[in-house]
Amino acid sequence: MEKLKLASSLLDKYVENLSKSKKDWPHDIKKALKYINANIFEPANSIKNMREECNIRGQNFSSRFNNYIGYTPRSYITYHRIQAAKQLLKKEKLKDLPVNSLGFLVGFEKPSSFSMAFKKQTGTTPKDWKQS
């Protein structure tokens, strides 16, 4: 239980350091970024939910988001989940937590999804990253 509290605390700190919107950005981009950041580690944080919650319409939203943030909404979420997972995997105090548990903590619903996304972004598996 203590390790989960530590992991949650580290994830809270990670969220605090996520990108903030700029004043001159369009309202829908600012609103979407705020929503995504607030829910980044929630497994239900889907693009569909974000669009509904933020009342975002239009086919080119992902492209516009990418122009301002540098990532599509989906790739932004995945990127930050993997970055946070990398930090947790390297924490000595969390070494006993199973890799799958860390995947769940950062928002992946399935261990296979976590492993595939992690390997795609880093070139290695979460287990190998943890051991290196």
Side-chain angles (χ1 to χ4, degrees):
M1 197 60 136
E2 189 72 28
K3 292 181 191 295
L4 291 178
K5 284 182 184 178
L6 173 60
S8 291
S9 173
L10 292 169
L11 292 176
D12 288 343
K13 287 179 184 169
Y14 187 90
V15 169
E16 289 173 14
N17 293 314
L18 287 172
S19 300
K20 307 290 188 257
S21 60
K22 298 196 168 102
K23 286 184 178 185
D24 61 337
W25 288 3
H27 178 70
D28 61 341
I29 301 295
K30 291 192 280 190
K31 195 170 182 181
L33 182 62
K34 184 177 180 180
Y35 176 85
I36 290 171
N37 286 347
N39 297 286
I40 196 112
F41 301 125
E42 295 295 323
N45 184 7
S46 69
I47 304 311
K48 180 182 177 200
N49 290 348
M50 181 264 307
R51 283 177 162 271
E52 289 172 1
E53 288 292 319
C54 298
N55 197 25
I56 294 172
R57 307 284 176 247
Q59 297 298 320
N60 68 344
F61 177 76
S62 286
S63 296
R64 290 179 49 246
F65 189 91
N66 188 22
N67 286 338
Y68 288 95
I69 310 301
Y71 296 94
T72 64
R74 185 172 318 286
S75 60
Y76 179 85
I77 292 167
T78 302
Y79 172 80
H80 284 293
R81 286 179 176 178
I82 298 303
Q83 290 302 112
K86 285 167 47 178
Q87 291 179 9
L88 295 179
L89 287 165
K90 287 296 185 183
K91 278 287 182 199
E92 185 64 29
K93 291 182 179 181
L94 299 177
K95 70 179 180 181
D96 296 336
L97 275 180
V99 168
N100 291 343
S101 295
L102 294 176
F104 292 129
L105 285 172
V106 298
F108 288 91
E109 293 182 299
K110 299 177 188 171
S112 60
S113 299
F114 173 55
S115 290
M116 285 186 343
F118 195 96
K119 187 163 187 172
K120 184 177 180 182
Q121 189 169 315
T122 66
T124 188
T125 66
K127 186 177 180 181
D128 289 343
W129 179 270
K130 184 177 183 177
Q131 293 172 346
S132 68

